[in-house]
Amino acid sequence: GAVVSQHPSWVICKSGTSVKIECRSLDFQATTMFWYRQFPKQSLMLMATSNEGSKATYEQGVEKDKFLINHASLTLSTLTVTSAHPEDSSFYICSARVGHSGNTIYFGEGSWLTVV
Amino acid sequence: GENVEQHPSTLSVQEGDSAVIKCTYSDSASNYFPWYKQELGKRPQLIIDIRSNVGEKKDQRIAVTLNKTAKHFSLHITETQPEDSAVYFCAASLGGTASKLTFGTGTRLQVTL
C-alpha cells in the first residue's frame, strides 16, 4: 500500500510552547490529508481536513487558531499545536487519500505528544 | 453528519473460533466502508473495505458484508489466531475526493489460546 510518514513519532514539550508535526506522503501525491486525535482506549476523532493550497476545514469544536494546519505541497501537511497544555497530550495521527478519486486512506505512524 | 456505531466494544474468542464485529451508520449516502486494525500505539492498518455497490467481500480469513437497506455492515474473521488480537475500527465515508472517514468506537478483540 501507499506510504504515509509522520514525524516526530513522539515529543515532549513544556506548557505554553508550540509543537509541529509533519505528515508526508512518500510515494504518491495527496491533495487531501486528514488529521486525527486519539486519546487512550478511544476512537479516532477527526480534527481537520487539510487541503493542498487552501485553508484547512476544521471539525466542530476544534480551535483552528490552536491547531494550525498547513498543506503547502502535494506531499506535506503540518499540524502545529500552539500554546500547548497538558490536556493537549494525545496521539495525533494523519492520513492521506490515494489519488484524486480513490477512497482508500492510509495512515501515518502517529505522533505521541506529551505536554508537561 | 454521519454517525457510526460499533458493537461489541470488547470481544474475546478462543483461537480457531470466528469473530464478528458489527457497525451501523446513519447517512444513507455513505458509500465506502473500510475496516482498520490498530495495535497498541501503532497506526491503523486497512484490512478490508467494501463499497456500496457490493454486498460482500472476502479476503482469505476476513470478510465484510454490507446491508444498505438496514445501513449496517459487519466484519467476519474466521479461524482466529493470537495475532488477530487488536482493536478494530469500522468507518464510513461519503466517498469523493475530499470525503472524510467517520469511525466507529472500536472493538478490542482478544484471541485466547
Side-chain angles (χ1 to χ4, degrees):
Chain A
V3 179
V4 179
S5 178
Q6 195 170 334
H7 178 81
S9 55
W10 60 270
V11 58
I12 301 173
C13 72
K14 293 183 178 180
S15 288
T17 62
S18 295
V19 175
K20 180 185 286 186
I21 301 170
E22 295 185 347
C23 180
R24 295 181 183 272
S25 56
L26 296 185
D27 51 359
F28 66 100
Q29 293 182 331
T31 55
T32 303
M33 292 185 174
F34 304 90
W35 286 96
Y36 293 85
R37 180 167 52 185
Q38 187 178 34
F39 292 109
K41 298 186 179 181
Q42 294 189 22
S43 188
L44 295 96
M45 300 303 297
L46 181 65
M47 300 174 65
T49 301
S50 173
N51 304 299
E52 187 269 334
S54 64
K55 292 183 178 180
T57 304
Y58 289 82
E59 294 299 300
Q60 190 173 8
V62 178
E63 299 176 60
K64 62 179 181 180
D65 294 329
K66 179 171 182 61
F67 299 99
L68 302 178
I69 291 174
N70 183 277
H71 195 155
S73 77
L74 287 170
T75 60
L76 173 64
S77 175
T78 61
L79 168 68
T80 301
V81 182
T82 64
S83 188
H85 289 99
E87 56 265 33
D88 297 326
S89 299
S90 184
F91 187 55
Y92 292 86
I93 190 164
C94 70
S95 67
R97 179 183 306 283
V98 178
H100 287 282
S101 59
N103 286 322
T104 306
I105 291 177
Y106 292 94
F107 284 86
E109 304 97 325
S111 300
W112 288 97
L113 171 62
T114 300
V115 184
V116 297
Chain B
E2 175 67 279
N3 182 50
V4 178
E5 295 189 355
Q6 183 172 346
H7 300 280
S9 57
T10 60
L11 179 60
S12 182
V13 299
Q14 285 196 323
E15 183 179 8
D17 288 349
S18 296
V20 180
I21 303 171
K22 299 181 178 181
C23 288
T24 61
Y25 60 100
S26 60
D27 192 337
S28 58
S30 289
N31 59 16
Y32 175 64
F33 308 93
W35 285 88
Y36 289 87
K37 174 184 179 183
Q38 187 180 30
E39 298 179 0
L40 187 63
K42 296 187 177 180
R43 78 178 92 192
Q45 297 274 8
L46 177 68
I47 56 172
I48 196 168
D49 57 12
I50 191 168
R51 288 169 171 76
S52 60
N53 58 345
V54 176
E56 184 175 356
K57 183 177 179 180
K58 188 174 182 180
D59 183 5
Q60 298 183 346
R61 298 187 296 111
I62 297 174
V64 57
T65 59
L66 171 64
N67 184 325
K68 288 177 57 180
T69 302
K71 290 188 286 187
H72 66 68
F73 55 113
S74 301
L75 177 71
H76 304 253
I77 305 174
T78 59
E79 301 174 30
T80 54
Q81 301 168 2
E83 51 265 38
D84 294 329
S85 298
V87 179
Y88 291 81
F89 292 97
C90 63
S93 169
L94 291 172
T97 58
S99 183
K100 59 189 180 184
L101 287 174
T102 300
F103 283 88
T105 48
T107 297
R108 184 172 299 277
L109 174 64
Q110 180 69 46
V111 180
T112 59
L113 297 174

